[in-house]
Amino acid sequence: MMRRLLAFVLLCAACNSYRAPLPPAPRDATHVRASAGQTWDAVADLFAARNIPIRTSEPAFGFVATEDLPVGTEGETWADCGTLNSVHVGPEHAIYNVLVRGDSASSSVKATVRWTYMAAKLGMIECSTSHAWEEAFEADVKAHAERARVARDAGAPAPGLAPGTVPPVAGSDESSGGAANTRPNKLLLSYEAFRRAMGDMQRKGLILGYREAALERLEVDLTAKAFREPTLEYQLTRLFLAYGETMYEDTEPTLVVRANRQPVGRYTRSGFQWDAGTGRR
């Protein structure tokens, strides 16, 4: 009888086992080649474009915080809430905070998120961020603020924003020859439509690799199998449209299709066209 009771107690304990996630690695703010005012305006525009409710806004201190907001299944790529009963769990709620610092010449932006999960018997669980949402948001702020600075210097109207469903993506510094913000693949994949389109092509064995080679330019290396795939152009259309959704409405995205490291086709808003040397139409 005692053995059965002990076995039951151990089984119940296992049913409610929880393993906390590892703490996130430290991360620096994103440098922006625009004034603190332009960066703050970019933050405000992005929150407004995404219809994100604000709880606290302090322009004088460069700080903004949201309400406690629900998070969908996409949150599993943004934070790790640990393992509960041998099942990995993602966040259910988030509070987004953004801090802007700088002067009239340059600035920085730092996004932090409090991700949480409510467990029935454990209460509120603090999750460990992957930094994907934060880096994505900061990159979009950087891109918009720096475009506003360039437009101001040229005497042109500042570019507008298009509403998005997933926080945007990271960027690198501008080159001396003009804007060249590029984003790593892991942050392009934070967009659901892009992740699905790319994932389908990879599962079909159509893609060797891809990268954003320059601002608004995605290069995709195709496999030999891809050219025998009857749905190739349909797959490329899906990928081009998904790539376009990672940017603003006023951009001109280009999908460069390559084989053996050489361009063989190009997709723009005017449509897809194979290079003449490929013999394809």
Side-chain angles (χ1 to χ4, degrees), residues 98-253:
V98 182
L99 184 65
V100 174
R101 289 286 183 266
D103 51 32
S104 60
S106 64
S107 58
S108 67
V109 58
K110 180 70 176 290
T112 57
V113 185
R114 184 193 180 200
W115 308 99
T116 56
Y117 175 84
M118 179 61 75
K121 295 184 178 181
L122 297 175
M124 185 76 73
I125 292 174
E126 297 283 344
C127 308
S128 179
T129 186
S130 68
H131 296 308
W133 192 98
E134 296 91 327
E135 290 176 349
F137 185 84
E138 290 169 18
D140 224 3
V141 170
K142 173 184 173 72
H144 184 56
E146 291 181 352
R147 288 186 184 189
R149 186 211 67 194
V150 171
R152 182 207 62 187
D153 293 345
L161 283 172
T165 55
V166 179
V169 249
S172 60
D173 291 338
E174 280 188 353
S175 68
S176 58
N181 293 336
T182 60
R183 300 169 290 180
N185 291 349
K186 72 174 183 177
L187 292 178
L188 287 172
L189 293 171
S190 68
Y191 290 89
E192 183 177 2
F194 184 91
R195 184 170 64 250
R196 288 182 176 179
M198 182 59 70
D200 287 346
M201 293 190 74
Q202 289 176 324
R203 280 189 291 273
K204 288 178 176 288
L206 308 181
I207 287 183
L208 286 172
Y210 65 97
R211 70 186 183 105
E212 190 169 60
L215 182 65
E216 304 174 15
R217 176 189 173 101
L218 182 72
E219 293 185 351
V220 175
D221 288 287
L222 298 182
T223 64
K225 177 183 177 181
F227 293 91
R228 301 190 299 272
E229 170 61 43
T231 67
L232 175 60
E233 293 193 17
Y234 165 73
Q235 299 291 343
L236 291 173
T237 298
R238 283 187 62 207
L239 183 59
F240 172 77
L241 293 175
Y243 179 56
E245 289 181 12
T246 70
M247 294 176 286
Y248 307 120
E249 290 181 345
D250 60 347
T251 56
E252 292 296 332

